[in-house]
Structures are given as structure tokens and as C-alpha cells.
Amino acid sequence: MANKSELLVAATDAVVAAALAIEPAKSPESLSQDRIRAVALGLFDAIDQHPWVAAQLTASSYQSTTPRIFESIGRQVCALGVPEDSRFTAASVLVEYILGAAGQNAANARVLWPDIDRVEVLDAVSRAWEELDPDDYPFTRAVADQLREHDDREQFLGGIDLVLTGIAALHLPSG
């Protein structure tokens, strides 16, 4: 490698390649959705383990790694039967959610609070939310307990399912 930048690109490429190689459990009726979930969770876990990957993907979106992620998701969007004029948007939303949510989770867990127990952080934030003005923050106060108890991976996968449900509702023929 000629410099640190090239080393980071190569390391990011290796981490992402491993995440994209994860195969889902075979379910023929929803194989494309299962592949999207497998790629999403593979990237979520990879970024959780290597938080620097999120920043590297953002900084080098024009290099081969980010287009490889887009291609992997885009092929599955095509396989879902999304009409051609909607494929770019559907794939973009999925990739942006995957990288954004995974990057934010890694930043919170590993970068912002590396030496603080996650349970303590969520409890402190939940208590702060419960103390907000009820007239200004009725929703935030109402979900404070859910924040305290949530699982990051499950919430992330729930987001993927919301996006996939939206894609199906807007773009796929009803069965």
C-alpha cells in the first residue's frame, strides 16, 4: 500500500466483501427479501465490529466498495420485481437506511460511549426523556421505556422490514 488512505480502502473493501458474502437461510418464496436482510445484517454487524467502516464508506462513496453494496441490494430489488423506473429509489433508500442506521449505532455504541455500559446509557437517556415536558414531548415520553429495553439489531431489522413492506406495497403486484 502506498499510504494510509489506500490501506483504509483495502481494509474497508475486505470487511464489506465478507459481509456481502453472507447467505440467507433459504426461503424460496421470499429469497430476495431474505438476501436483502442477510446483506443488511451482515453490514450492520461488520460496522458494529469495525465502526471506522461507516466513516470510510461515507468518505469514499465513489470508490468500488460502496457501489458493490449498491449493486448487491440493487440486484435483489430487481429480483423482487420492482419496476425499472422505481429501482434506483428503492435500492437507494435501502442502502441509505442500512449504512446510516448501522453507522449511527456503531457511533453511539463504540465511538461516543466506548467505556460506558450500553444499559447505563439507555437507562440515563430514558430517564431524561421521562422528565421532558409532557406538553412538548408526549411521544418521546411515551416511548422512553421502549428505548430502555430495545435491541439494536432487532430495531434495525424492523426498519428493513418497514422499507421492504413499503416497496412491496408501492411497487409490487398484489398477490
Side-chain angles (χ1 to χ4, degrees):
M1 301 288 145
N3 57 40
K4 180 181 175 183
S5 178
E6 287 181 16
L7 179 62
L8 277 172
V9 169
T12 301
D13 194 50
V15 169
V16 168
L20 295 180
I22 296 171
E23 284 293 319
K26 302 296 182 212
S27 169
E29 64 278 354
S30 64
L31 190 55
S32 293
Q33 288 189 8
D34 290 346
R35 285 190 175 135
I36 289 170
R37 285 185 193 93
V39 166
L41 283 175
L43 289 166
F44 181 89
D45 291 341
I47 292 170
D48 185 54
Q49 291 293 327
H50 310 284
W52 52 268
V53 167
Q56 184 63 25
L57 288 171
T58 301
S60 64
S61 62
Y62 60 90
Q63 295 175 354
S64 66
T65 307
T66 305
R68 189 173 305 135
I69 294 167
F70 194 68
E71 181 68 23
S72 178
I73 295 296
R75 286 183 186 189
Q76 299 314 311
V77 165
C78 291
L80 284 172
V82 173
E84 189 172 341
D85 64 344
S86 299
R87 291 175 184 167
F88 175 76
T89 299
S92 294
V93 168
L94 280 161
V95 170
E96 289 170 14
Y97 174 76
I98 291 166
L99 297 181
Q104 186 65 47
N105 179 71
N108 289 343
R110 309 263 183 183
V111 178
L112 296 178
W113 306 307
D115 300 323
I116 301 173
D117 181 71
R118 178 185 182 278
V119 173
E120 291 176 28
V121 170
L122 292 179
D123 186 58
V125 173
S126 294
R127 280 187 275 115
W129 285 11
E130 291 167 342
E131 294 172 9
L132 292 169
D133 183 300
D135 293 327
D136 292 337
Y137 298 95
F139 175 80
T140 303
R141 287 173 49 97
V143 299
D145 277 342
Q146 292 176 31
L147 170 68
R148 182 180 285 116
E149 304 296 327
H150 86 281
D151 177 276
D152 294 327
R153 275 179 111 245
E154 286 179 22
Q155 181 187 33
F156 174 76
L157 197 54
I160 294 294
D161 288 342
L162 279 171
V163 173
L164 290 172
T165 300
I167 289 170
L170 289 173
H171 301 297
L172 304 182
S174 31

